[in-house]
Amino acid sequence: MAALSTAVLALSTVAAGPASALTVTNRTMPSLATSIDCLTKSLCVSVGDTPQGIGAVVAIKHGVPGKLQKVKGTDNGILSVSCAGGKGCVAIAPTPTGKLMFINIGKTGKVTSKKEVKVTILDSFDRISCATIHSCELAGVRIVNAVLNHVAVAHWNGKKLSDLRAIKVANASDVTAAGLSCRNSYCVAVGQMDLRSGASPFGAYLLPIKRGKPGKLVRTKASTSLQAVACVTASLCYADGDHAEPAGVVLTFAHNKITKTATVAASLDGIACAGHSCTAVGSQLPTDSETSRSAFVGDLVPVSSGTPAMPYVDLASGGYGSVARVGRFFEAVGSTAKSEHATYGESEVTSN
């Protein structure tokens, strides 16, 4: 049985925010969880890998992780999962032969099938977002002339890939595709890149995608990196990531423009929304008054209409990397707050 702890989280002392407390439950996962999404408010699915690099799927019911489901044939685990309401989920993973594996997960959270698809050696897909289990968008990167400077997108209909396109990110290298979110036929991909000129060495982008066709790529200010995005309508999304000062940033992306930028003292790696109410997750260094067995502590940040509140600090977490939300219910996955001798492959799920 997964180890269980319940805590009333304290507010971080580094920023102003809500005066209320947040009660969460932490449970140990049987795998290293890298991505999570929910079928219903009581059933979520996490994906990742085992210490041996085997793909891992875990159904989480009422906050309790189920048995580890191993998916063989992946190359260092499963990267991303997206659930289409209560109908099922689709996850993606690279294979050692350079193919892309699609993993179908049923409405009970069990793996039902998998399929390997050929992709060009120049393309690498990292994120998936599904409107239905038969209509998903993918985001990744493409190498052109030995430079990683294109964002690649494609469509998956449950049987084959189509609409493969790539958008060049000018004056950049080492482009990543860190996040992708869709609302009906409208999607936004986010990521970061190294800049070849300018005062800052890195920056970030948002790429709107309409019916599989990429729009105009929008750059953020320099010294910003984006890790995740959540679209709440077909014209409004919230993205989060890092900024030089302070540590975290939340962007409002409306009608294909950045309309609001807000910062918070937490390095952010995930965001999930129910309407304009969102939960962002990430990590920060523990303060002098906080006792933790990890180099970092987990942060849960309420976000209202693009404005982040004061982070709730979870000392039982070593930092969160992904979050899913249905209504007011959320589940976040990340590392456990153990010593440096903690067993690799062990993550934690936190639910409210």
Side-chain angles (χ1 to χ4, degrees):
M1 181 178 292
L4 166 67
S5 67
T6 301
V8 178
L9 301 188
L11 290 168
S12 170
T13 58
V14 294
S20 60
L22 176 66
T23 301
V24 298
T25 300
N26 301 308
R27 289 183 170 89
T28 302
M29 295 284 291
S31 66
L32 177 64
T34 56
S35 178
I36 189 170
D37 204 358
C38 292
L39 288 154
T40 68
K41 65 179 182 180
S42 61
L43 180 61
C44 300
V45 174
S46 76
V47 299
D49 66 311
T50 69
Q52 297 76 31
I54 300 172
V57 176
V58 178
I60 306 168
K61 191 172 184 179
H62 297 292
V64 180
K67 293 182 179 180
L68 171 64
Q69 302 174 69
K70 294 183 179 180
V71 181
K72 296 182 179 180
T74 67
D75 186 15
N76 293 321
I78 303 172
L79 299 178
S80 178
V81 65
S82 179
C83 298
K87 302 297 184 181
C89 313
V90 183
I92 57 171
T95 73
T97 59
K99 295 180 179 179
L100 185 64
M101 180 185 293
F102 289 86
I103 302 147
N104 293 317
I105 301 166
K107 60 184 179 181
T108 62
K110 292 184 178 181
V111 176
T112 57
S113 64
K114 61 182 181 179
K115 181 182 179 66
E116 294 183 15
V117 177
K118 289 183 179 181
V119 293
T120 170
I121 194 173
L122 301 177
D123 290 335
S124 175
F125 291 102
D126 304 304
R127 295 293 178 261
I128 186 170
S129 183
C130 302
T132 72
I133 57 175
H134 300 298
S135 180
C136 306
E137 298 299 323
L138 282 76
V141 293
R142 175 176 293 181
I143 298 174
V144 176
N145 295 328
V147 180
L148 195 62
N149 62 353
H150 282 66
V151 181
V153 300
H155 180 76
W156 173 251
N157 67 1
K159 294 182 179 180
K160 65 178 183 178
L161 278 176
S162 63
D163 297 332
L164 274 73
R165 296 182 172 94
I167 300 297
K168 183 178 181 179
V169 185
N171 189 36
S173 62
D174 293 331
V175 173
T176 71
L180 175 68
S181 180
C182 297
R183 179 64 62 172
N184 300 323
S185 61
Y186 177 78
C187 307
V188 171
V190 301
Q192 53 273 339
M193 64 279 192
D194 292 343
L195 300 178
R196 292 189 165 186
S197 63
S200 174
F202 65 94
Y205 70 85
L206 301 99
L207 178 64
I209 306 163
K210 184 69 171 180
R211 293 187 176 90
K213 184 178 180 180
K216 182 180 179 181
L217 186 139
V218 178
R219 291 174 178 262
T220 67
K221 292 182 178 180
S223 300
T224 299
S225 65
L226 293 178
Q227 304 293 337
V229 61
C231 292
V232 298
T233 72
S235 61
L236 175 65
C237 306
Y238 300 107
D240 71 1
D242 300 328
H243 193 269
E245 290 293 340
V249 64
V250 177
L251 300 182
T252 301
F253 192 65
H255 301 287
N256 299 337
K257 296 180 180 180
I258 300 172
T259 59
K260 184 177 181 181
T261 301
T263 56
V264 62
S267 179
L268 300 178
D269 290 305
I271 188 168
C273 302
H276 299 287
S277 177
C278 306
T279 301
V281 299
S283 61
Q284 68 177 25
L285 293 170
T287 65
D288 293 338
S289 62
E290 295 166 348
T291 302
S292 173
R293 291 180 292 173
S294 174
F296 295 92
V297 293
D299 278 328
L300 300 165
V301 184
V303 179
S304 177
S305 298
T307 301
M310 183 180 193
Y312 290 96
V313 177
D314 188 355
L315 299 180
S317 168
Y320 297 107
S322 182
V323 63
R325 178 167 168 167
V326 178
R328 295 183 178 181
F329 170 79
F330 70 81
E331 286 194 338
V333 291
S335 60
T336 57
K338 288 192 173 184
S339 68
E340 61 183 3
H341 302 294
T343 302
Y344 172 81
E346 192 174 86
S347 291
E348 184 175 73
V349 59
T350 299
S351 56
N352 64 343

